Amino acid sequence: MNKTMKRLSAGVSGAAMVAMLLSGCSSTNTSAAPSKTTDNSSSTAAKDPSRVSIMVGGLEKIIYMPYMLAEKLGYYKEAGITVTLVEESAGQDAELALLAGQVDGAGGFYDHTLDLQTKGKKVEAVVTMADVPGEQLMVSNRLKDKVKTLADLKGLNIGVTGLGSSTNMLASYNVVKGGNKESDYKPLPVGAGQTLIAAMQNNRIDAAVTSEPTASILKNKNMAFTFVDMNSKDGTEKALGGKYASTSLYMSNDFVKKNPDVVQKLANAYVKTLKWLNTHTPEEIAAKMPEEYWAGDKALYIQALKGQLPMFTADGKMPAGVPENVQKILSAFKPAVKNVDISQTYTNEFVDKVK
């Protein structure tokens, strides 16, 4: 039976939870963290190939919906694999847990694979689930008359899910694109959902990079407006100069080489999920998701779904030219990314085999 762990223990913060993972004190079935973070020999799949653990940077976020949807549709079981989903609010935490060998895979943005290679860590996206970020740079309504161009982002406190997260990277890119330096704004890790909303309400942050359903809640509460659209395909083209691979399942290159059968089963489950996602209505999709993901407003959740469904790929493949665009964007404020060998940051090998 598939397990979902929304939190490793009640009330544990993101930073504390990652610390638990790194110290081997989590309540998952994985073993203690290995001495070398790039060694995944202690991962669950190494012990039992039919069981894998995946940490996702926010299961309730629509951008990461395929992970839970695959479980609700029974596609993990059908593929012959048991998946433990571990939730945390930021993709950065999933990245850390993956490197520590505490989970076998991470559900996060593709850009992490490029950033990690500059640090000597090789991971690759084995399923690409979306080709736009599904994010919006939102600005507080109290600054509507002051923030008119990207240059006006200078000096703002911008909420991100976590430091080093993809939302942090997208915030940095927009600040730099406006002619500023990355140091000209302050990224504040506020998570997503209610913690981000509270930060905006209490004026801790002036703006935020966030996804659905948080974005729609901020708009409906008249707290913030969309300043940069990176949610729609047209908006992403305008903001980022092309598509931007986002939601993906990434794993260490070594794990992929050692466990091809495991990766293939996961690819089978996710590609089937993406096909289902692309052939059903927002109402049908919402009915499959846990009610707590609706944040108390099913109609609003369905509204948000309608705006985000176009972001998902139908086949799990990395589109041609997209890795290069992501590399170009990150290089604007991370020069070392220019030297990344992008051929090692993704593969279509497994999704190509799905029938």
Side-chain angles (χ1 to χ4, degrees):
M1 182 177 180
N2 299 323
K3 298 188 296 179
T4 302
M5 301 177 63
K6 285 200 68 178
R7 290 280 183 257
L8 292 179
S9 61
V12 176
S13 67
M17 194 207 69
V18 174
M20 289 170 62
L21 282 169
L22 295 176
S23 64
C25 297
S26 74
S27 59
T28 64
N29 290 327
T30 57
S31 63
S35 57
K36 295 183 179 180
T37 59
T38 54
D39 179 7
N40 281 319
S41 61
S42 64
S43 62
T44 53
K47 296 179 178 179
D48 183 350
S50 68
R51 296 178 178 273
V52 296
S53 55
I54 300 172
M55 179 174 278
V56 182
L59 282 168
E60 80 288 350
K61 299 175 186 175
I62 293 175
I63 57 174
Y64 293 131
M65 182 170 55
Y67 291 96
M68 177 57 71
L69 186 58
E71 178 176 304
K72 293 299 183 181
L73 293 172
Y75 290 163
Y76 292 135
K77 183 177 181 181
E78 186 176 307
I81 196 163
T82 299
V83 176
T84 297
L85 296 174
V86 185
E87 181 184 24
E88 191 38 58
S89 62
Q92 178 72 1
D93 295 338
E95 173 189 301
L96 290 172
L98 176 66
L99 294 178
Q102 290 297 324
V103 292
D104 304 302
F109 273 33
Y110 165 69
D111 49 25
H112 287 287
T113 68
L114 282 78
D115 185 41
L116 283 171
Q117 195 179 125
T118 67
K119 302 169 184 175
K121 316 296 182 183
K122 292 185 178 181
V123 300
E124 59 187 316
V126 295
V127 182
T128 302
M129 303 180 189
D131 56 16
V132 300
E135 302 282 354
Q136 300 176 52
L137 173 52
M138 305 191 71
V139 174
S140 171
N141 281 346
R142 62 187 168 81
L143 297 177
K144 185 169 287 187
D145 295 330
K146 294 183 178 181
V147 180
K148 300 290 187 180
T149 70
L150 290 177
D152 299 326
L153 295 175
K154 183 175 182 178
L156 298 190
N157 292 330
I158 302 180
V160 297
T161 52
L163 298 181
S165 65
S166 295
T167 54
N168 192 169
M169 294 187 209
L170 289 170
S172 294
Y173 175 71
N174 280 285
V175 170
V176 172
K177 185 180 178 183
N180 301 305
K181 300 188 296 292
E182 187 179 12
S183 59
D184 284 336
Y185 85 104
K186 183 177 181 180
L188 290 180
V190 294
Q194 292 305 315
T195 54
L196 186 152
I197 293 169
M200 185 72 76
Q201 193 169 32
N202 297 327
N203 297 334
R204 283 189 59 220
I205 55 177
D206 305 306
V209 177
T210 190
S211 61
E212 297 289 5
T214 305
S216 288
I217 294 174
L218 288 173
K219 291 177 186 177
N220 280 23
K221 289 180 177 291
N222 296 314
M223 294 173 61
F225 65 95
T226 299
F227 184 61
V228 179
D229 171 25
M230 296 173 283
N231 184 35
S232 68
K233 291 187 183 297
D234 288 344
T236 299
E237 179 75 33
K238 181 179 179 181
L240 305 178
K243 293 181 178 179
Y244 190 94
S246 55
T247 306
S248 65
L249 170 64
Y250 61 86
M251 309 175 112
S252 77
N253 295 40
D254 286 343
F255 181 94
V256 175
K257 290 178 183 177
K258 294 175 183 177
N259 302 278
D261 291 341
V262 172
V263 180
Q264 189 61 61
K265 289 177 180 179
L266 288 168
N268 293 345
Y270 290 129
V271 171
K272 189 166 185 179
T273 299
L274 290 168
K275 289 180 178 178
W276 189 95
L277 195 60
N278 278 272
T279 55
H280 287 74
T281 67
E283 290 79 9
E284 291 172 322
I285 296 167
K288 289 291 184 180
M289 303 305 290
E291 289 188 18
E292 59 264 30
Y293 289 12
W294 303 345
D297 193 333
K298 185 178 181 181
L300 181 63
Y301 186 78
I302 292 173
Q303 174 189 324
L305 269 176
K306 291 177 180 178
Q308 286 214 291
L309 288 181
M311 72 178 285
F312 294 107
T313 64
D315 53 15
K317 295 182 181 181
M318 175 67 75
V322 173
E324 289 82 0
N325 192 48
V326 175
Q327 184 178 40
K328 178 182 177 181
I329 289 166
L330 296 189
S331 297
F333 58 95
K334 289 178 176 288
V337 176
K338 293 179 181 179
N339 301 318
V340 165
D341 179 359
I342 57 176
S343 68
Q344 296 187 36
T345 63
Y346 75 94
T347 180
N348 284 329
E349 174 188 351
F350 300 96
V351 294
D352 280 342
K353 294 177 182 177
V354 178
K355 298 178 181 179

